[in-house]
Amino acid sequence: MTATARELPAVPGGLPLIGHAVPYLRNPAQFLLRQHAALGEAIAFTVLGTKVASFCSPQLIAAVLGHDGSELNRQYMHFRLIPVFGEGHLFDEPPELLAWHKKVTRPVLRREAMAQHVTTMYQQAEQYTAAWGRRGETDILTAAREVTALMAAHCLIGPRYARVAGPALPDLLGHLGSALHLSFAIAPGAPLPAYRRRDRARDALTRTIKEIAPGDRPRGVDHGLFETIVGTPRPDGTTTDEDAAAAIILGLLFGGYGTTSTQSAWTGILLLRHPRWLSVVRAEQDALFADSATPTLQLLQKMEWLGHGVLEAERLHPPAHSIPRNVAEDVDIGGHRVPRDHMVIVSPAAAHRLPQVFSDPHTYDLDRYACRAEHRTTPSPLIGFGGGRHLCPGMPFAQQAIKVFWSVLLRDFDLELAEPDVRPARLSMFTPPRRPCLLRYRRRKP
């Protein structure tokens, strides 16, 4: 703490016991942008008895996300994640082991593996849409979830696991996500049906991983991830048993499913709502596949306009509206004093709509990445996948899966929304589009 650190200006109003919970949870971006515009880049308010410090400027957001964790930690999230993956595993382990988890799972996320994943992802998307026939309707979110689950199962574990367990993954992983979302309001150990479904889903997923993953491996990978992890020495001197390996792989599956499928749905919905940009992205696909090009990582990287669409979907509909940190000790953030009894948040929902970073921030505009490169002008402008010391290592996997899915759809079908006014489901994990969000499709001639 510095002697000149300033107290956080408090948001006025609030109700007894719940504080500012209603306006904050109803529309986080609107509430935070309005209060920051009135009170400055750092504010304090109360949600359900918790004092919250919010920071909303590029510099302060970078300071929070780049913090070393000595005063700011992630216990608020870990407390809710422990029941999802089981006690004694993953988020119930010390920080040095959490860092080790990223290291041990790196083989399936490094560039060489991602290049192999392109072929697998295209195969899964093409096989999925092959059953659609010449024309019809489908729910975008359902399709995105089912295809994402198949891609994640094939690429992170292997084809045998995808064949056996893949069809059940959307429901089982959905139970984990629903329980995690509920745990922000009700203690994750409460005797509720949603938590019992969570526990049954976790047990079923863990069991199938331990039964099927040994001997299975993604296409083009020499050794399966499960076999690589089991028996590997850990930083504390112990070796990883099958239960711990299954929890690590389940963490990969869960992380690769929820945010990816939601962002995939929004990517397509926003494109289809903006015909000007849809025609640009469609023309790019037609040009790249004019000579029946074989999908490769290099070809995927040439899909610049589709990539801009993925970024714009993340900006307008980030998978989490706020990123929380616990304050373990009094801390000075950019000259603002935050006491230890507070929670610190940075909000992708608000940060992605700052007018000093993104021109006309409420407008869907792919030129902001192509011509103006607004996403490169400030530190941490897009934080839908985190940032600083805790950038999600699976972000390239998610973006690649989204690009492949919509590349196949735009290449093979004429598409339109049955109802263009698709809104976010507020009371749901990852803020997916509200259902039904129907896609009308007509297969194009080869």
Side-chain angles (χ1 to χ4, degrees):
M1 293 294 300
T2 62
T4 59
R6 306 183 298 278
E7 297 291 332
L8 293 165
V11 174
L15 298 174
L17 300 179
I18 65 172
H20 303 87
V22 173
Y24 170 64
L25 297 176
R26 178 186 295 152
N27 194 323
Q30 184 182 79
F31 171 80
L32 291 171
L33 287 171
R34 184 173 62 247
Q35 300 303 332
H36 278 289
L39 300 173
E41 61 184 6
I43 61 173
F45 59 98
T46 304
V47 175
L48 303 176
T50 299
K51 297 177 181 178
V52 180
S54 172
F55 295 90
C56 196
S57 73
Q59 293 72 29
L60 291 181
I61 290 170
V64 172
L65 295 178
H67 201 276
D68 63 7
S70 55
E71 293 101 358
L72 303 180
N73 60 55
R74 294 185 289 170
Q75 288 181 358
Y76 178 81
M77 280 297 299
H78 291 184
F79 172 70
R80 289 154 178 80
L81 285 165
I82 288 170
V84 174
F85 302 105
E87 295 183 359
H89 302 302
L90 272 183
F91 298 98
D92 198 20
E93 295 183 314
E96 60 271 17
L97 286 181
L98 286 176
W100 176 79
H101 294 156
K102 294 181 180 180
K103 179 180 179 181
V104 78
T105 56
R106 197 172 297 155
V108 294
L109 297 175
R110 62 164 56 107
R111 180 179 174 83
E112 295 82 0
M114 296 297 289
Q116 296 289 344
H117 295 338
V118 171
T119 301
T120 301
M121 287 177 174
Y122 264 96
Q123 288 175 344
Q124 293 309 304
E126 289 166 348
Q127 289 173 12
Y128 183 86
T129 58
W132 283 8
R134 291 184 61 190
R135 64 177 64 217
E137 286 186 350
T138 189
D139 184 87
I140 296 179
L141 185 58
T142 298
R145 285 176 171 172
E146 291 176 350
V147 170
T148 299
L150 289 170
M151 289 179 178
H154 270 275
C155 297
L156 301 178
I157 301 180
R160 182 166 169 258
Y161 182 83
R163 285 195 305 272
V164 176
L169 285 179
D171 285 340
L172 293 175
L173 294 171
H175 291 325
L176 299 186
S178 297
L180 177 59
H181 185 262
L182 182 61
S183 69
F184 290 99
I186 302 175
L192 297 178
Y195 293 159
R196 288 192 287 271
R197 287 193 294 270
R198 172 201 64 197
D199 295 341
R200 290 194 296 269
R202 182 193 62 240
D203 293 343
L205 288 162
T206 301
R207 183 177 64 255
T208 56
I209 290 172
K210 291 194 295 183
E211 289 174 353
I212 303 171
D216 202 6
R217 64 178 185 269
R219 179 183 181 276
V221 175
D222 293 334
H223 301 285
L225 187 59
F226 185 86
E227 292 180 321
T228 300
I229 297 174
V230 172
T232 300
R234 307 200 299 176
D236 61 0
T238 63
T239 56
T240 311
D241 60 20
E242 290 188 350
D243 289 333
I248 293 171
I249 292 176
L250 177 56
L252 267 183
L253 276 177
F254 183 72
Y257 165 78
T259 56
T260 306
S261 58
T262 299
Q263 292 292 286
S264 184
W266 279 120
T267 296
I269 289 169
L270 292 172
L271 267 177
L272 295 173
R273 282 167 54 177
H274 296 86
R276 171 196 171 192
W277 294 115
L278 176 63
S279 64
V280 172
V281 176
R282 163 65 66 78
E284 178 182 66
Q285 292 297 310
D286 289 346
L288 289 172
F289 286 100
D291 298 324
S292 301
T294 300
T296 62
L297 184 59
Q298 290 72 27
L299 185 72
L300 209 64
Q301 290 170 341
K302 293 180 181 178
M303 298 178 187
E304 295 181 352
W305 286 108
L306 181 55
H308 300 335
V310 175
L311 292 179
E312 189 71 335
E314 177 194 346
R315 189 184 73 84
L316 292 172
H317 294 281
H321 63 72
S322 299
I323 300 173
R325 297 285 187 267
N326 282 91
V327 181
E329 300 291 342
D330 290 2
V331 62
D332 182 335
I333 299 176
H336 301 276
R337 178 180 179 272
V338 186
R340 61 174 298 177
D341 62 341
H342 280 55
M343 179 192 300
V344 165
I345 66 166
V346 293
S347 171
H352 291 178
R353 295 175 186 255
L354 290 174
Q356 65 267 39
V357 180
F358 299 104
S359 60
D360 200 4
H362 302 292
T363 300
Y364 183 85
D365 181 4
L366 302 193
D367 264 342
R368 69 174 78 254
Y369 308 99
C371 299
R372 302 191 298 274
E374 294 172 358
H375 61 309
R376 303 186 188 280
T377 57
T378 58
S380 302
L382 289 174
I383 54 174
F385 288 90
R389 294 173 178 265
H390 301 290
L391 181 66
C392 175
M395 181 178 69
F397 183 94
Q399 293 176 337
Q400 180 168 307
I402 296 168
K403 288 177 74 173
V404 167
F405 181 49
W406 285 102
S407 170
V408 170
L409 291 185
L410 293 168
R411 183 193 65 187
D412 294 348
F413 297 91
D414 291 321
L415 307 166
E416 66 175 354
L417 293 172
E419 174 51 62
D421 186 21
V422 180
R423 300 183 181 183
R426 296 293 181 190
L427 299 179
S428 182
M429 195 69 182
F430 308 123
T431 58
R434 189 180 299 170
R435 302 166 90 173
C437 45
L438 294 179
L439 174 70
R440 291 181 183 142
Y441 60 84
R442 184 176 69 253
R443 193 175 294 275
R444 304 171 78 190
K445 293 181 180 181

